[in-house]
Amino acid sequence: MDLKISQCFISVDDHDRALAFYRDVLGLEVRNDVGFEGMRWVTVGPPLQPDVEIVLEPPLADPNAAPADRRAVAELLAKGLLRGVIFTTEDCDATYARLLAADADVLQEPMDQPYGVRDCAVRDPAGNLLRFTERKA
């Protein structure tokens, strides 16, 4: 099989704040911005990967979800307990400097890991964990 990743999903509680971060700070392209049944989905992606999209979706983006389930997912998001994305970068320290200048919520400064990468970690405006890794030779 020849499989590739096409899309991944990140829950956000404020699409405009998320766009300011993913587009303006990280430099991702906005590929789509769609409203449906009172919800909004925005897709962004790296300019160098036109076939990969990150979908910024509302927490529990299911119009049939029970209100209690929506609240539970929103609470997990607020606590930063939902998963995020790992990005690769050619220069972890420069990426970190850009994130720091944008007042990103820093979780880990750049550091060399024993498994062959240098990485740092931040939370996006919704609290999702994002890691930025630089592969070492």
Side-chain angles (χ1 to χ4, degrees), residues 16-73:
D16 293 327
R17 278 188 9 196
L19 269 174
F21 181 79
Y22 286 93
R23 180 193 58 216
D24 303 337
V25 176
L26 297 184
L28 301 183
E29 298 174 332
V30 176
R31 308 259 172 85
N32 213 346
D33 192 337
V34 177
F36 179 71
E37 293 193 21
M39 292 184 272
R40 182 180 179 193
W41 287 265
V42 178
T43 56
V44 296
L48 297 177
Q49 290 181 295
D51 57 341
V52 175
E53 295 180 327
I54 298 170
V55 182
L56 306 174
E57 66 175 357
L60 196 59
D62 178 350
N64 300 313
D69 292 338
R70 286 187 191 283
R71 283 191 301 276
V73 171

Side-chain angles (χ1 to χ4, degrees), residues 115-134:
Y115 42 88
V117 301
R118 181 167 181 78
D119 71 354
C120 63
V122 302
R123 291 205 186 278
D124 75 1
N128 295 295
L129 172 66
L130 304 179
R131 297 192 79 80
F132 300 86
T133 65
E134 175 186 347

